[in-house]
Amino acid sequence: MGLLQVSTNTVSSAVASVTLTGIDSDDVYMVASTNVIPSTDGADLQMRFTESGTANSTSNYDSAFKFLAANTGFTNSSSTNQNKFDISGSIGKNTAGESLSQIQYIYNANNSSEFSFFSIEQSYMFNGGNNHGNQGGGVFTSASSVDGVNFFMDTGDIDSGTFTLYKVV
């Protein structure tokens, strides 16, 4: 088993969002994101699936996560019928080393008769300087053909980071 790079985007100055497209088969896909830093301290990373290259903002996003915090323990989080996936807690920006990195697997995306879903593991420095982790996933409850992902912050822009989409082969 290996990885075939499909699309990549390295952000070096603030952008509103990052879109990775190229999902064109029923294979499993993986997104690796590294050193993601928001323009606003305490911003959450958000995600939507794309159809024909355009982010879908309908209320078809359900998710569940376990947030792990070095300083306090863990919490559970879940949501249904949202217009996006809220996939992180508050990412720090003001202290050296504060950033987010994640690995995400995407399933059933190209299959227009199935729901697309993902699993995720991430680590980031919370906007208080503490390490946090997040594990979980989400489902896009619309039977449609998804061709990519769109990442953005709940407030402000994405200041920097590298986002890469791979096909698992």
Side-chain angles (χ1 to χ4, degrees):
M1 186 159 69
L3 300 174
L4 175 64
Q5 184 175 313
V6 175
S7 177
T8 191
N9 188 328
T10 298
V11 176
S12 56
S13 62
V15 296
S17 68
V18 170
T19 300
L20 302 171
T21 58
I23 295 175
D24 61 2
S25 71
D26 292 334
D27 294 293
V28 174
Y29 285 78
M30 184 186 95
V31 176
S33 307
T34 57
N35 298 316
V36 177
I37 300 173
S39 65
T40 305
D41 188 48
D44 293 3
L45 186 63
Q46 315 283 291
M47 188 194 91
R48 290 185 173 120
F49 282 118
T50 64
E51 298 165 317
S52 302
T54 302
N56 182 311
S57 60
T58 59
S59 296
N60 289 308
Y61 294 92
D62 299 350
S63 61
F65 301 100
K66 183 167 290 284
F67 288 96
L68 311 168
N71 61 325
T72 62
F74 67 89
T75 58
N76 296 316
S77 171
S78 63
S79 62
T80 58
N81 302 322
Q82 301 299 301
N83 67 0
K84 65 190 175 313
F85 294 118
D86 186 356
I87 60 174
S88 82
S90 302
I91 307 165
K93 172 190 175 49
N94 296 331
T95 303
E98 290 184 325
S99 68
L100 172 141
S101 293
Q102 66 183 12
I103 298 290
Q104 180 176 29
Y105 289 95
I106 300 170
Y107 307 90
N108 292 340
N110 191 58
N111 189 337
S112 62
S113 62
E114 296 282 342
F115 292 166
S116 299
F117 64 97
F118 74 93
S119 62
I120 194 168
E121 295 178 352
Q122 61 185 208
S123 179
Y124 58 96
M125 292 299 285
F126 192 71
N127 70 318
N130 295 301
N131 190 37
H132 282 211
N134 183 18
Q135 292 184 313
V139 60
F140 180 56
T141 58
S142 174
S144 65
S145 184
V146 165
D147 67 350
V149 290
N150 173 259
F151 294 101
F152 58 100
M153 296 293 175
D154 67 337
T155 182
D157 293 332
I158 298 171
D159 251 7
S160 61
T162 300
F163 300 81
T164 307
L165 175 66
Y166 298 94
K167 180 190 292 189
V168 178
V169 294

